[in-house]
Structure formats: C-alpha cells, structure tokens
DNA sequence: AAACTCGGCAACCGCTGCAAT
DNA sequence: CATTGCAGCGGTTGCCGAGTT
C-alpha cells in the first residue's frame, strides 16, 4: 500500500530496524489490549508499521517471556533432535523450547548446523547424525508396517463380508458401515499402541523413541545408507514436493 | 589503516490456511 | 460457494560488528 506525496510515491509503512520509541509504543499497546489484531494495534499505537511487522517485532523481540542469551548445549541437543524429526518446521520446534522463537532457532540452525553438515564433522556429531537418521528411518518403517497391517485388516474384513454375503441373506446379521468403521478404528488404535510408544500430548519433545536396536550390529549398514549431507531424508523431501 | 570475509541476527517477503462475510 | 482479510510460517535478504589479510 502506498501513499502519494509531493514529488513521487512514498511507502505508507515504515520499514527497517525498529527504534526504541516504536518498541515502547508497541509494548504499551500490546500490554493494554493484548496480542492479536495486529493491524489495529499498528494504527491505534500510531505506528507507521504494518500489522505483520508489529507482530514479528513482538514475537521475536519484545515478548516478555523471551529467553535471552546463547542457546545452551541442552537446547542445542533438543533442536538437533527435533529437526531430525520435524525437518524445517521451526515453529513446531520452537514450541518445545520455551522462550525461544522460531526465527532464533532457524537462524541458529543455519549458522551452526547447516555449515557443520558441509564442513568436516567431528565424530560425535557424525554419531548423532547417524542416530537421528536411523530413528527417522525406523519411524518410516513403522509407518509402512502400519499401512501393511491396515491393508491386511481391510482384506480380512472384506473376506469376512464376502463370505457372509455368500451365505443366505436372512442368516446374515447386517453390520452398518459405521459399526465396521468403528471396529476398524479400534483395531487401528490397538495397533498403534504397540507399534508406537506413548507420546506426551503437552509437549512434543520428551516423547520417547522406539527401543534402540543394537548400535554396533547395524552400524555399518546405517553408515552406508545415510548421505550425511542430506539431513532431511527422502520422506521429508517427498512430503515437501507434494 | 583499509579492504575483505564471515558469523549472527533482525526484518522482510511470499505463500498458505482459516475464519468471517 | 467465492471473496477477503488476517495470522502464522518458512525462506531469504541485508545490516552490523568482529576477525583476518
């Protein structure tokens, strides 16, 4: 959106770094009226910023619950772990790190790990990468297993129905589709409960992985399977492409 | 001292999903 | 159902300071 002024066109919205005064105005209005409705915050506060810019400034810099300072080794481990699981879903990762923003984590990843993956990796990092990739691979395997189980179940279900249909019609107890669906759903949940470990609903980090298979046994195989430059793996790319 | 490189970070841009109309 | 506006997300850019040549 632009505002015509003498001698040409000038942008209506201010851009670039925020001043202390702008910060003060924004903080004052958010504290007064709360988060959300960023476009009206911008105009009410008398800021020449668009709502988007206001939101970003608040979320990434002014929010009182933000944690300042360097990322701790523990946080780094969480980032690595969750990135292996979620890929570049920074906001999802940020939810597991209270006080850290998606932007912060994204920047941290880019400056620290993106480079590390290209430059020489020390052994511990390599080990970590392998572990993470292996976990990802196992997850995919479980997914496939589950799909196969579902298919098998559908087939047996179909067979059951077919055999029932073959019998005389009045002997058949009619099972409404909704009931079949419910039974299938129940069976599916049962399968999930043993294929997947219980995952905490409140916090995505902290959920346990499936039990580790012996590290030394399959290490060579994993080593050969993984291309260390490609951290995200085939599933991630496929998902992204679709 | 000047030029250059690089890391870190704030901010912008384009896109998507969703709710309201 | 189509349109519109908004919030949120991920990718990218550009600035700045510190370190190096």
């Amino acid at each position: 959106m632009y505002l015509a002024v003498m001698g040409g066109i000038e942008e209506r919205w201010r851009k670039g770094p925020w001043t202390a005064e702008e910060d003060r105005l924004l903080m004052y209005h958010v504290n007064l009226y709360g988060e959300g409705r960023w476009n009206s915050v911008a105009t009410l506060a008398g800021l020449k910023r668009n709502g988007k810019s206001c939101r970003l400034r608040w979320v990434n810099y002014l929010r009182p619950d933000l944690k300042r300072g360097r990322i701790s080794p523990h946080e780094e481990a969480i980032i690595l772990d969750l990135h292996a699981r979620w890929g570049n879903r920074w906001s999802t990762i940020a939810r597991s790190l209270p006080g850290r923003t998606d932007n912060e984590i994204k920047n941290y990843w880019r400056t620290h790990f993106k480079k590390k993956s290209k430059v020489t990796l020390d052994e511990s990092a390599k080990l970590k990468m392998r572990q993470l990739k292996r976990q990802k691979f196992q997850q995919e395997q479980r997914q496939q297993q589950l799909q196969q189980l579902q298919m098998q179940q559908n087939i047996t279900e179909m067979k059951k129905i077919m055999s029932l249909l073959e019998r005389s019609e009045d002997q058949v107890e009619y099972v409404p589709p909704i009931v079949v669906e419910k039974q299938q759903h129940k069976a599916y949940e049962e399968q999930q409960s043993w294929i997947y470990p219980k995952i905490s609903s409140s916090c995505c980090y902290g959920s346990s992985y499936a039990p580790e298979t012996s590290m030394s046994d399959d290490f060579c195989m994993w080593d050969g399977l993984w291309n260390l430059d490609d951290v995200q793996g085939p599933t991630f790319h496929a998902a992204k492409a679709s």
Side-chain angles (χ1 to χ4, degrees), chain A residues 31 34 59 71 76 128 153 164 190 193 205 232 239:
Chain A
N31 287 331
V59 167
I71 304 272
E76 185 183 302
K128 190 147 207 162
Q153 207 206 344
L164 285 171
E190 278 165 10
S193 68
Y205 185 73
Q232 283 158 342

Side-chain angles (χ1 to χ4, degrees), chain A residues 28-77:
Chain A
Y28 178 79
H29 273 80
V30 173
N31 287 331
L32 215 60
Y33 303 112
E35 291 182 49
R37 299 176 167 274
W38 292 108
N39 281 329
S40 53
V41 166
T43 39
L44 283 172
L47 288 160
K48 286 194 167 73
R49 299 272 183 175
N50 61 16
K52 216 171 177 178
S53 179
C54 291
R55 180 191 154 266
L56 208 68
R57 183 63 179 173
W58 174 259
V59 167
N60 288 334
Y61 196 81
L62 297 175
R63 245 170 52 196
D65 58 328
L66 285 180
K67 200 188 275 182
R68 298 269 162 216
R70 299 184 68 79
I71 304 272
S72 70
H74 179 240
E75 286 173 316
E76 185 183 302

Side-chain angles (χ1 to χ4, degrees), chain A residues 190-224:
Chain A
E190 278 165 10
Q191 283 163 7
Q192 277 221 320
S193 68
W194 64 264
I195 290 173
Y196 288 100
K198 263 275 191 276
I199 293 175
S200 156
S201 58
S202 60
C203 173
C204 47
Y205 185 73
S207 59
S208 55
Y209 290 123
E212 296 282 314
T213 51
S214 88
M215 274 293 287
S216 51
D217 295 353
D218 53 359
F219 208 84
C220 299
M221 184 188 88
W222 293 109
D223 210 359

Side-chain angles (χ1 to χ4, degrees), chain A residues 83-89 136 140 230-242:
Chain A
H83 187 270
R85 196 182 303 184
W86 297 110
N88 293 0
R89 289 160 71 177
K136 196 171 169 56
E140 285 164 19
D230 183 9
V231 184
Q232 283 158 342
T235 316
F236 176 78
H237 290 301
K240 250 212 121 148
S242 64

